[in-house]
Amino acid sequence: MWGLVVRRASAGRNPDLGFRSASTTAGMTCRAVVVPRFGGPEVLEVRDGVAVPDLKPREVLVRARAVSVNPLDLRVRSGYGRSIFEAALPLIIGRDVSGEVAAVGSSVSSFTVGQEAFGALHPTAVRSTYIDFAILSEDELTLKPPSLTHVEASAIPFAALTAWRALHSTARISKGQRVLVIGGGGAVGLAAIQLSVAAGCSVSTTCGSGSVERVLAAGAEKAVDYTREDVESAIEGQFDAALDTIGVPETERIGINLLKKGGNYMTLQGEAASLADRYGLAIGLPSATAILLKKQIQYRYSHGIGYWWTYMRADAEGLDEIRRLSGSGKLQIPVEKTFPLSQVREAHRVKEKRLIPGKVVLEVD
Ligand SMILES: NC(=O)c1ccc[n+]([C@@H]2O[C@H](COP(=O)([O-])OP(=O)(O)OC[C@H]3O[C@@H](n4cnc5c(N)ncnc54)[C@H](OP(=O)(O)O)[C@@H]3O)[C@@H](O)[C@H]2O)c1
């Protein structure tokens, strides 16, 4: 499930929104952004009196200070994943958070109340972050480097863990390899460039005209503006790994053609959720598995490469490295604009209409 099911508390808004030393959240309510039905930005409602669930032993309650807006938030709001979420409406959305630890579950050993932490929820977690108090498991959180503001930190984990999963868990990149990032100008693309450089790889990337400077600053050796150049002739092939953040047939073809034998092509646009939405979970998920297997076999024989649909996953080791790199300035996702949580509709509207190219963050006052 990709959201937090809203439970209405019988009491009104809890005036005590401060820190708690125990694992109890009994009786707590807070403010959250709620999706009562699927639709455009206008369906988003800021509601008070939303119950905070009890903490499980390994969970941490985070007093949110900043939550970033991810494309997944917009998609879920408009009905992506409806095969799972429809029955659970009204939902709260959101994956990334940075804030302060407000309470810890009984088995949590790596956080104490009052520490600053940031992290991200799995795409299918039944919890969310557009809320005053977010709940994450211990391994979905890490300490926030003091050099980063909450706004800066909140922009990083979901995108960086997505890139980490593809590059380190799937392609297992190593020093000296060549990585191609297709669509390097967005948050996942920028994270992928920086994580590859940190691993000792050389990176080529494609992006729009407005992103060229940004991807070069992130460490790409070569940036091809796909709006002006023919990518396949501008980039010399033989890559070990290709991460495709756009994932349309043309970028898939380019990524696969530019790999060397034994390389790995990874797209972020796997079809599992959209097929489940179209045909229901019982038919959609097996169909997705069949399509993926067919493509894996086809490309294994035709090109000798691995073909993968990759998804963000919580990863304690990855998050630790992401904390280390972001703390030393080697992993940055520039934030273009912030909005107060109360202006969440406007934040979604500008992202949806692509009026703001970079990352948008909601500040939770
Ligand atoms: N599978 C997963 O678990 C997972 C996880 C995270 C994200 N994603 C998906 O990966 C994609 C990138 O995510 P992100 O967080 O990096 O997004 P983002 O920060 O909003 O960046 C998207 C970038 O893609 C480029 N782009 C090219 N054509 C586009 C189009 N038609 N619409 C929107 N953008 C376009 C733009 O850069 P240029 O101007 O340089 O072209 C844009 O900045 C999204 O589709 C997202 O849903 C999947």
Side-chain angles (χ1 to χ4, degrees):
M1 305 256 294
W2 293 351
L4 172 69
V5 180
V6 177
R7 289 190 289 144
R8 280 301 216 161
S10 50
R13 186 171 177 179
N14 190 336
D16 170 21
L17 296 183
F19 297 123
R20 306 207 158 199
S21 54
S23 59
T24 177
T25 53
M28 273 183 79
T29 63
C30 69
R31 184 183 51 156
V33 176
V34 172
V35 175
R37 62 185 184 287
F38 298 126
E42 70 286 351
V43 303
L44 296 168
E45 286 176 17
V46 180
R47 283 192 195 168
D48 285 325
V50 174
V52 178
D54 291 336
L55 285 187
K56 296 195 180 110
R58 297 220 38 227
E59 288 180 340
V60 178
L61 185 70
V62 178
R63 192 347 178 165
R65 296 295 173 193
V67 301
S68 89
V69 175
N70 279 291
L72 182 64
D73 307 343
L74 278 65
R75 295 172 82 178
V76 170
R77 188 213 66 224
S78 57
Y80 177 77
R82 66 169 61 235
S83 57
I84 299 167
F85 294 130
E86 198 146 37
L89 288 170
L91 295 167
I92 301 168
I93 51 174
R95 303 291 92 186
D96 277 319
V97 66
S98 182
E100 293 118 24
V101 173
V104 294
S106 55
S107 306
V108 169
S109 56
S110 37
F111 295 97
T112 54
V113 169
Q115 285 181 317
E116 294 189 322
F118 72 130
L121 291 162
H122 184 276
T124 58
V126 192
R127 287 168 277 129
S128 301
T129 58
Y130 286 15
I131 186 165
D132 284 326
F133 287 89
I135 295 177
L136 288 87
S137 335
E138 193 175 14
D139 59 3
E140 292 168 333
L141 270 181
T142 188
L143 292 176
K144 180 181 81 63
S147 55
L148 297 184
T149 64
H150 285 301
V151 166
E152 289 164 341
S154 74
I156 296 171
F158 191 76
L161 281 166
T162 303
W164 178 275
R165 172 84 178 171
L167 297 169
H168 284 281
S169 310
T170 304
R172 298 184 180 279
I173 58 168
S174 57
K175 195 172 175 181
Q177 290 194 329
R178 296 186 68 210
V179 175
L180 173 64
V181 179
I182 300 173
V188 179
L190 287 171
I193 294 168
Q194 293 168 91
L195 289 176
S196 301
V197 170
C201 300
S202 62
V203 184
S204 296
T205 188
T206 68
C207 61
S209 313
S211 305
V212 172
E213 269 179 43
R214 205 160 26 176
V215 299
L216 291 174
E221 280 179 10
K222 187 173 179 72
V224 175
D225 178 348
Y226 63 77
T227 65
R228 293 172 189 211
E229 288 178 81
D230 175 62
V231 174
E232 267 181 287
S233 45
I235 295 186
E236 205 187 304
Q238 299 293 305
F239 287 91
D240 298 278
L243 175 58
D244 186 353
T245 72
I246 312 290
V248 296
E250 191 196 347
T251 55
E252 180 167 314
R253 182 182 54 75
I254 290 169
I256 282 162
N257 285 344
L258 291 175
L259 283 171
K260 70 182 192 193
K261 258 202 165 81
N264 287 289
Y265 168 86
M266 298 153 291
T267 173
L268 298 183
Q269 312 297 346
E271 295 174 52
S274 49
L275 287 169
D277 288 348
R278 200 174 320 150
Y279 302 114
L281 289 169
I283 296 174
L285 290 183
S287 307
T289 307
I291 290 171
L292 176 60
L293 261 173
K294 187 172 168 239
K295 285 195 160 195
Q296 287 181 323
I297 293 167
Q298 175 194 327
Y299 289 127
R300 175 69 62 200
Y301 278 100
S302 62
H303 291 73
I305 58 138
Y307 175 96
W308 311 98
W309 294 346
T310 57
Y311 299 93
M312 180 274 185
R313 289 280 180 282
D315 181 315
E317 188 197 334
L319 200 50
D320 198 47
E321 178 68 356
I322 286 163
R323 177 188 55 75
R324 200 184 62 75
L325 291 171
S326 56
S328 60
K330 292 181 180 157
L331 174 55
Q332 299 172 358
I333 310 287
V335 174
E336 204 88 12
K337 189 161 172 60
T338 64
F339 290 87
L341 189 71
S342 55
Q343 288 177 20
V344 61
R345 287 182 181 175
E346 182 61 6
H348 271 225
R349 197 182 67 79
V350 297
K351 275 314 287 178
E352 201 140 89
K353 291 193 175 300
R354 301 192 71 202
L355 299 175
I356 294 178
K359 198 77 177 164
V360 166
V361 168
L362 299 168
E363 290 190 89
V364 188
D365 44 42

